[in-house]
Amino acid sequence: MRVEVAGDIAKESGCLERAARVLAGRKALVVGLASTGIAASRFLKKCGAAVTATDVKPLSGLGDVSALIDMGVAVEAGVEEPAGALDSDIVVVSPGVPYDLPLLERA
């Protein structure tokens, strides 16, 4: 029995290339930097989006986001609304983020 990894399946099916065609050059905002937000930020950046990832927690209260910074993701920690947030084409909200945040209500 062969165990397949989701990334392998995505490469074989061409869905990463399709996602890149849609996301390349878009401005993406990821709200919440727990594991889902980090994964979404990484995916969007790999697809060519300009990504800003934000969390109300200070940088010291987050997990390891250094890899995101190294790949060119703009990480804004400790702020309720990052500069230019409302100019985003795509907003991804992590599951732990309340949807009644003023930023999300305006987005």
Side-chain angles (χ1 to χ4, degrees):
M1 179 167 110
R2 178 173 180 232
V3 176
E4 295 191 55
V5 178
D8 294 337
I9 295 169
K11 286 178 187 174
E12 291 173 14
S13 69
C15 70
L16 289 178
E17 290 81 11
R18 288 192 302 273
R21 283 194 300 270
V22 172
L23 297 170
R26 301 276 181 128
K27 292 180 189 175
L29 174 66
V30 177
V31 182
L33 279 170
S35 58
T36 301
I38 291 172
S41 297
R42 187 179 306 119
F43 172 77
L44 290 163
K45 189 65 181 176
K46 285 182 179 180
C47 287
V51 182
T52 298
T54 186
D55 200 298
V56 294
K57 294 178 189 167
L59 199 54
S60 61
L62 297 174
D64 185 15
V65 295
S66 60
L68 293 180
I69 295 168
D70 290 345
M71 28 181 344
V73 172
V75 174
E76 296 197 30
V79 296
E80 291 193 19
E81 186 169 322
L86 297 179
D87 295 334
S88 300
D89 300 310
I90 302 161
V91 178
V92 177
V93 183
S94 291
V97 174
Y99 284 98
D100 61 352
L101 290 178
L103 166 64
L104 298 179
E105 289 177 351
R106 287 191 306 280

